[in-house]
Amino acid sequence: MSHLGSLCLAWQVKDKHCLVIGGGEVALSRVQHLLYAQAKITIITGEGNIHPGIVKLNNEGKIFNFLQRNYQPNDLVMYETGTITETLDHQLISQFVHDQMIAIVCCCIDDYELSTKIYYQCKVKRLPVNIADKPPLCDFYFGSMFNQDNLQIMISTNGKSPRLLKIVKDTIARNFEGIDINKAVENLGKIRLGLRSKVIQDDDLASIEIRMKWIKDLTDMFTVGQWSQLDLKDENVSNILQWFPDFPPSNYTEFVASI
Amino acid sequence: MSHLGSLCLAWQVKDKHCLVIGGGEVALSRVQHLLYAQAKITIITGEGNIHPGIVKLNNEGKIFNFLQRNYQPNDLVMYETGTITETLDHQLISQFVHDQMIAIVCCCIDDYELSTKIYYQCKVKRLPVNIADKPPLCDFYFGSMFNQDNLQIMISTNGKSPRLLKIVKDTIARNFEGIDINKAVENLGKIRLGLRSKVIQDDDLASIEIRMKWIKDLTDMFTVGQWSQLDLKDENVSNILQWFPDFPPSNYTEFVASI
């Protein structure tokens, strides 16, 4: 445990208020992350230039509340009309959390003095906050994202190496780009199902372990891309299972020809 | 944007109080995530069996506060001795955040009624909380982690496919396992530096773009593993740069022989 890092978490902000302060390129990037998570986004920008990407998203109706004015401290509780207390019933607490609380604050302005103030105001209100470019004033950082199908991959180097981030992201992208990941999952699912229904039917621990080990080793023989290129019919699955407990040819071309 | 997901974030909980309620296998997994992020961990467990892994970590002094008793609602503010208000100066607010506030609550108990109560108590106190196995009662989920050197990769399928999670994690692990990622970064850094100091010295936008494009294409010719196996000296770097604006052989063995 000599290399330590962050607590990487997948936040659920669907339909929750998220506040972005600023209107530049960094703000746009935050908004894109938030849109992917289906957040209810409020943007507060001052008088400065607003990134055309943000204007476009607002014109498309994707921003819940777009305020072109300077930030005010009360903005952190702008949707709170009541008070949340332990005497409320569960449904009312849930409503308060969704309709009145701000879940996350992202501050992306160049004004260091103001952004420092915003950080401390957020802390007093117990709001999670990210002040762009000020790591000590951040409850959380954003990582580099790779999103595809149902898959989300966050890559974080804890600010230590942008070059590493790039190499790693390119490497991961090469694994999956242009690949129908769900098809690979479907094909391996068919083999697993066939193995269970036709070859080892028992559900005792030893049988489960043998099945899992064989499927794991078989999976590892080819890449996700190679698995996704197949369109396995019952006959192909049977041909693959004939090799059990051995394995089909490890050369992909020979493997495809053999099934 | 048809596939939507979570807001993936790298939380900074170093030296901040994090509360784990429960003492079983899930609690151990939460504690491991928190330890990696250097959190100050408090565990509250009831009378039940405590996972030996947790006992071990506590014996090693890695748990800040280990309480073997039932949870009480006041536990959510157990470290708060004062009140946080806007009249405090920045240093006092920072101290309060670090010494008195709980940053994150992870509840990992089998008692559905109690864990539901804990969720709503956390919301009233405005504390981020994860109730294990109860997705609707979670502000955040945990993903599957791949940690190596300065690199952290979180894989999330938003609960949609454990099999996908496994395949993706295995695929990513195969990219990096046993590989000195930092060495790959170092080697590519030497080439970039050489290109800049000896081949295209100018720093106008067009020159920067040409350098970046060539380095990107060169990087993509081999895997991180292959780049990490090299130990590039000045002479090797010069031999690689001789090919510019063309590229060295794309066959790795030929490439290594040529430099």
Side-chain angles (χ1 to χ4, degrees), chain A residues 6 11 126 152 163 175, chain B residues 6 11 80 126 152 175 189:
Chain A
S6 309
W11 281 71
R126 301 179 190 246
Q152 287 189 284
R163 194 177 297 150
N175 289 151
Chain B
S6 307
W11 281 71
E80 297 196 16
R126 302 180 190 244
Q152 288 188 285
N175 289 151

Side-chain angles (χ1 to χ4, degrees), chain B:
Chain B
M1 210 169 286
S2 62
H3 296 281
L4 296 164
S6 307
L7 181 68
C8 297
L9 300 172
W11 281 71
Q12 306 306 307
V13 292
K14 185 169 186 286
D15 297 329
K16 291 182 193 157
H17 286 293
C18 294
L19 178 63
V20 176
I21 304 165
E25 200 171 334
V26 178
L28 175 62
S29 155
R30 302 312 191 222
V31 167
Q32 284 162 339
H33 278 99
L34 290 168
L35 279 176
Y36 199 86
Q38 298 177 271
K40 216 153 57 181
I41 303 168
T42 296
I43 300 178
I44 301 174
T45 70
E47 304 294 309
N49 285 334
I50 297 166
H51 194 288
I54 290 182
V55 174
K56 183 168 176 281
L57 288 172
N58 187 45
N59 289 340
E60 290 168 356
K62 291 185 176 157
I63 308 302
F64 174 79
N65 194 358
F66 185 72
L67 300 169
Q68 250 184 292
R69 59 156 175 78
N70 286 330
Y71 163 85
Q72 305 154 2
N74 272 346
D75 287 340
L76 298 180
V77 289
M78 63 197 291
Y79 298 113
E80 297 196 16
T81 56
T83 312
I84 188 166
T85 67
E86 292 183 33
T87 54
L88 294 180
D89 69 26
H90 289 176
Q91 204 194 334
L92 287 173
I93 294 175
S94 287
Q95 278 177 16
F96 192 95
V97 167
H98 273 87
D99 301 339
Q100 304 198 27
M101 268 191 203
I102 286 172
I104 269 171
V105 178
C106 298
C107 176
C108 334
I109 56 174
D110 286 333
D111 183 335
Y112 180 61
E113 200 182 331
L114 178 58
S115 61
T116 302
K117 261 189 205 162
I118 292 175
Y119 170 78
Y120 287 101
Q121 285 165 352
C122 286
K123 289 299 86 194
V124 169
K125 302 278 188 222
R126 302 180 190 244
L127 292 176
V129 58
N130 171 287
I131 307 288
D133 288 328
K134 305 283 171 291
L137 303 185
C138 285
D139 292 316
F140 54 85
Y141 303 155
F142 287 82
S144 180
M145 293 302 304
F146 178 81
N147 294 318
Q148 190 171 317
D149 301 328
N150 288 327
L151 178 66
Q152 288 188 285
I153 298 176
M154 174 172 72
I155 307 151
S156 167
T157 56
N158 296 295
K160 293 213 178 65
S161 173
R163 194 177 295 151
L164 174 55
L165 203 62
K166 176 88 182 64
I167 297 177
V168 169
K169 192 172 171 178
D170 286 351
T171 302
I172 290 177
R174 247 180 292 170
N175 289 151
F176 304 113
E177 248 163 20
I179 287 174
D180 185 344
I181 301 174
N182 292 340
K183 187 73 186 173
V185 172
E186 187 189 316
N187 283 326
L188 286 162
K190 283 180 184 172
I191 298 171
R192 184 189 296 258
L193 202 67
L195 186 66
R196 201 189 152 181
S197 63
K198 290 175 202 150
V199 187
I200 318 185
Q201 282 120 347
D202 294 338
D203 261 343
D204 57 294
L205 279 180
S207 301
I208 291 173
E209 200 167 305
I210 291 168
R211 276 206 302 267
M212 280 179 58
K213 174 88 176 77
W214 191 79
I215 287 283
K216 187 189 174 308
D217 291 345
L218 182 77
T219 303
D220 284 351
M221 286 171 59
F222 307 114
T223 64
V224 180
Q226 288 171 327
W227 282 115
S228 75
Q229 284 159 35
L230 304 171
D231 184 21
L232 297 181
K233 311 289 177 209
D234 288 351
E235 187 197 336
N236 308 123
V237 173
S238 298
N239 287 337
I240 294 169
L241 292 177
Q242 275 172 13
W243 292 93
F244 180 89
D246 270 341
F247 294 93
S250 62
N251 175 293
Y252 187 69
T253 314
E254 286 175 33
F255 167 70
V256 172
S258 79
I259 62 167

Side-chain angles (χ1 to χ4, degrees), chain A residues 11-58:
Chain A
W11 281 71
Q12 307 306 306
V13 291
K14 186 170 186 286
D15 298 329
K16 290 181 194 160
H17 286 295
C18 293
L19 178 62
V20 176
I21 303 165
E25 199 171 334
V26 178
L28 174 62
S29 155
R30 302 312 192 224
V31 167
Q32 285 161 339
H33 277 99
L34 290 167
L35 279 176
Y36 199 85
Q38 300 177 270
K40 215 153 54 179
I41 303 167
T42 296
I43 300 178
I44 300 175
T45 69
E47 303 296 306
N49 286 333
I50 297 166
H51 194 289
I54 290 183
V55 174
K56 183 168 175 286
L57 288 171
N58 187 45

